[in-house]
Short mmCIF file of all heavy atoms in Angstrom, two decimals:
data_model
loop_
_atom_site.label_atom_id
_atom_site.label_comp_id
_atom_site.label_asym_id
_atom_site.label_seq_id
_atom_site.Cartn_x
_atom_site.Cartn_y
_atom_site.Cartn_z
N GLY L 8 -1.99 11.78 -3.08
CA GLY L 8 -2.58 13.16 -3.36
C GLY L 8 -3.21 13.72 -2.04
O GLY L 8 -3.74 14.77 -2.11
N GLY L 9 -3.41 12.92 -1.08
CA GLY L 9 -4.13 13.40 0.20
C GLY L 9 -3.05 14.13 1.04
O GLY L 9 -1.96 14.25 0.70
N ALA L 10 -3.53 14.59 2.14
CA ALA L 10 -2.74 15.36 2.95
C ALA L 10 -1.92 14.47 3.97
O ALA L 10 -0.98 14.87 4.67
CB ALA L 10 -3.55 16.32 3.83
N LEU L 46 -40.24 3.13 14.69
CA LEU L 46 -41.26 2.79 13.60
C LEU L 46 -42.61 2.70 14.42
O LEU L 46 -42.92 1.62 14.96
CB LEU L 46 -40.98 1.51 12.98
CG LEU L 46 -39.56 1.47 12.25
CD1 LEU L 46 -39.23 0.03 11.74
CD2 LEU L 46 -39.76 2.42 11.01
N GLY L 52 -43.54 -5.60 14.43
CA GLY L 52 -42.48 -6.48 14.97
C GLY L 52 -41.13 -5.83 14.93
O GLY L 52 -41.04 -4.60 14.54
N GLN L 53 -40.09 -6.56 15.21
CA GLN L 53 -38.76 -5.94 15.23
C GLN L 53 -37.94 -6.09 13.97
O GLN L 53 -36.95 -5.38 13.69
CB GLN L 53 -37.98 -6.64 16.43
CG GLN L 53 -38.44 -6.29 17.81
CD GLN L 53 -37.69 -6.88 18.89
OE1 GLN L 53 -36.77 -7.74 18.49
NE2 GLN L 53 -38.04 -6.68 20.05
N TYR L 96 -31.90 2.73 4.62
CA TYR L 96 -32.69 2.40 5.79
C TYR L 96 -34.20 2.22 5.37
O TYR L 96 -34.92 1.26 5.83
CB TYR L 96 -32.68 3.46 6.81
CG TYR L 96 -33.31 3.12 8.10
CD1 TYR L 96 -32.70 2.42 9.14
CD2 TYR L 96 -34.65 3.39 8.34
CE1 TYR L 96 -33.25 2.08 10.17
CE2 TYR L 96 -35.31 3.07 9.57
CZ TYR L 96 -34.52 2.35 10.49
OH TYR L 96 -35.19 1.97 11.70
N GLY L 104 -40.30 -5.51 6.36
CA GLY L 104 -41.69 -5.72 6.55
C GLY L 104 -42.20 -6.89 5.73
O GLY L 104 -43.08 -7.62 6.00
N GLY L 111 -48.94 -4.74 3.20
CA GLY L 111 -48.42 -3.72 2.63
C GLY L 111 -48.74 -2.29 3.07
O GLY L 111 -47.85 -1.45 3.01
N VAL L 115 -45.90 0.49 4.15
CA VAL L 115 -45.81 1.80 3.57
C VAL L 115 -45.97 2.91 4.60
O VAL L 115 -45.33 3.87 4.63
CB VAL L 115 -46.90 1.89 2.42
CG1 VAL L 115 -46.89 3.41 1.87
CG2 VAL L 115 -46.43 1.00 1.23
N ALA L 132 -28.09 12.81 10.32
CA ALA L 132 -27.05 13.43 11.01
C ALA L 132 -25.87 12.55 11.45
O ALA L 132 -24.73 12.83 11.32
CB ALA L 132 -27.54 14.18 12.26
N ALA L 134 -25.14 9.83 9.73
CA ALA L 134 -24.44 9.46 8.52
C ALA L 134 -23.54 10.59 8.06
O ALA L 134 -22.42 10.44 7.50
CB ALA L 134 -25.42 9.04 7.45
N ALA L 148 -3.45 15.46 8.07
CA ALA L 148 -2.00 14.98 8.28
C ALA L 148 -1.63 14.94 9.80
O ALA L 148 -0.46 14.99 10.06
CB ALA L 148 -1.11 15.98 7.56
#
Side-chain angles (χ1 to χ4, degrees):
L46 298 174
Q53 295 180 355
Y96 187 88
V115 171

